[in-house]
C-alpha cells in the first residue's frame, strides 16, 4: 500500500479542486475511486493522484460510471486515459 494525495474536480477547468484527500491504496486509480466513494461521486471531470514519495503522478479526465461499493480493476493505464472498472464479483 502507498499513500496518495488525491484531488477531484467536479467541473473542469477550475482553479481549485472540489475535494482533496490523503489516503492509502494499492495504486493511484484505486485512491481516486476511494475518494470518489467517500464523497458519493459517481463521476468527475478531472482527477489527480500523486504518491507522497513523488514516484507516481496519475491524471484522469471524464471519469464516469463509478459505482459505490467494492470495485476491482483490470487493464489499468498507468499514464493516461480512463481505466475500466467492474463490480466486485459476489
Amino acid at each position: 500500500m502507498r499513500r496518495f494525495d488525491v484531488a477531484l474536480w467536479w467541473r473542469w477547468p477550475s482553479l481549485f479542486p472540489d475535494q482533496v484527500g490523503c489516503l492509502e491504496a494499492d495504486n493511484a486509480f484505486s485512491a481516486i475511486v476511494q475518494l470518489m466513494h467517500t464523497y458519493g461521486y459517481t463521476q468527475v471531470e478531472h482527477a489527480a493522484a500523486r504518491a507522497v514519495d513523488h514516484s507516481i503522478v496519475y491524471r484522469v479526465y471524464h471519469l464516469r460510471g463509478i459505482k459505490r461499493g467494492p470495485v476491482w480493476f483490470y487493464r489499468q493505464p498507468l499514464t493516461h486515459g480512463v481505466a475500466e472498472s467492474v463490480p466486485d464479483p459476489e
Side-chain angles (χ1 to χ4, degrees):
M1 298 280 268
R2 288 184 158 166
R3 283 191 79 67
F4 291 94
D5 289 324
V6 180
L8 304 175
W9 284 264
W10 182 256
R11 292 172 308 273
W12 182 257
S14 177
L15 188 57
F16 298 106
D18 294 298
Q19 304 295 340
V20 295
C22 184
L23 46 101
E24 288 187 359
D26 290 331
N27 57 56
F29 187 79
S30 292
I32 290 169
V33 171
Q34 284 180 35
L35 193 64
M36 287 176 68
H37 286 181
T38 299
Y39 291 103
Y41 290 1
T42 58
Q43 64 184 28
V44 291
E45 286 301 313
H46 179 66
R50 179 184 60 89
V52 173
D53 64 1
H54 302 282
S55 61
I56 296 172
V57 175
Y58 179 85
R59 294 182 179 99
V60 63
Y61 296 87
H62 311 295
L63 186 56
R64 305 211 186 299
I66 301 299
K67 296 179 182 175
R68 293 220 11 109
V71 178
W72 63 278
F73 310 103
Y74 64 100
R75 292 187 296 184
Q76 289 189 87
L78 296 177
T79 56
H80 66 281
V82 176
E84 299 177 32
S85 65
V86 295
D88 192 21
E90 296 179 4

